[in-house]
Amino acid sequence: MEVLKQNTGNIVSMLGKSIKEDNSGSLVVVKLQVLLCYGLYNNLELLEHYGFLLPRNPNDNVHIGLPDAGEFGLDTINPPMQIPGAACVEISGHPSFSLLAALRLRACHSSLRRAKGHVALSGEQVSVESDILAYKWLEKKCKSLLESLPTKLEDDLVLQKRLIPVQSFTALEDLALSEEVTSEAKEVQEFLRACTSVGEGGAADEKYGVGDKDFQLERWKLALRWRIGYKEILHRCARLCSKKILHLGG
């Protein structure tokens, strides 16, 4: 690797370290802080690619697949144009600019779409009726996504609270023995079973070593934190849509 020499102070910088020459001519390494920008990733992308996530990540979001005009009971002639940008619900629960504009265009008649489509593209309301349809669809979509998940937000929060003092796989096994039969306890049991495999003789063989099991436990905790954040975004959006519909008189 090429080492770049700076003109001032005989300092050579390489990989976040400064190499200086002392009075005797020897090289002395001075450690410096290294900063790394990961980019505009949501928590799922951070978890998948880098193995961590951020609390209240401003870039966190939930992708929403767009409907066609037929889902609003309208004609599908002259389908609405594609809106650039991410069609998603942001961490605050608000639909992104692209998502709301796309829903507004799909929730109005094609004739109105041609006449006032530019209004939606500027972030404004096309009509009260189309806004009511758009927010009703989005509220239903968020609730549908939540209902399709195998666990509820309330159960996840209880499980997360119970896992806070658990710092090792052995401690998790002790917790499982003391737990009552609840949905959270069942998930703990499923995780414990996933860390073992059944041998040919029917006996459970160790699938991971002790250190590996502790690592799997931390990964599971991170996954739990992510799905809590995912569900919280959907709940915020559903509440916001309900308020918008009420305000619009729908």
Side-chain angles (χ1 to χ4, degrees), residues 149-216:
L149 299 173
T151 60
K152 296 181 179 180
L153 175 60
E154 296 78 11
D155 297 332
D156 290 346
L157 291 171
V158 171
L159 178 59
Q160 183 185 49
K161 184 177 180 180
R162 292 184 177 179
L163 290 179
I164 289 176
V166 177
Q167 300 299 322
S168 68
F169 190 84
T170 302
L172 182 66
E173 290 178 312
D174 294 338
L175 175 67
L177 292 174
S178 63
E179 284 284 290
E180 298 179 359
V181 180
T182 61
S183 58
E184 307 89 57
K186 289 179 180 178
E187 186 169 354
V188 172
Q189 294 290 350
E190 289 173 0
F191 174 75
L192 292 173
R193 284 195 295 270
C195 290
T196 59
S197 59
V198 179
E200 294 181 359
D205 297 329
E206 293 298 322
K207 188 174 182 180
Y208 301 106
V210 175
D212 291 335
K213 287 181 179 179
D214 290 343
F215 176 69
Q216 294 299 326

Side-chain angles (χ1 to χ4, degrees), residues 11-19 29-34:
I11 298 177
V12 181
S13 296
M14 181 177 64
L15 293 179
K17 296 180 179 179
S18 291
I19 304 176
V29 178
V30 181
K31 295 181 180 179
L32 296 177
Q33 183 179 12
V34 177

Side-chain angles (χ1 to χ4, degrees), residues 48-133:
E48 285 182 330
H49 299 297
Y50 300 106
F52 72 93
L53 47 78
L54 299 174
R56 300 294 299 175
N57 180 357
N59 300 312
D60 206 10
N61 56 54
V62 174
H63 173 75
I64 301 292
L66 292 174
D68 57 34
E71 289 192 44
F72 294 103
L74 303 172
D75 64 272
T76 55
I77 303 173
N78 298 320
M81 67 182 72
Q82 296 297 318
I83 310 296
C88 63
V89 176
E90 298 171 348
I91 189 171
S92 62
H94 288 79
S96 66
F97 178 90
S98 298
L99 175 58
L100 185 55
L103 290 178
R104 281 170 166 166
L105 287 173
R106 284 162 171 75
C108 63
H109 194 274
S110 59
S111 59
L112 184 60
R113 195 181 303 145
R114 287 193 299 270
K116 300 186 68 175
H118 64 282
V119 176
L121 297 178
S122 65
E124 299 296 329
Q125 181 187 87
V126 176
S127 69
V128 173
E129 293 76 15
S130 66
D131 259 29
I132 291 174
L133 285 175

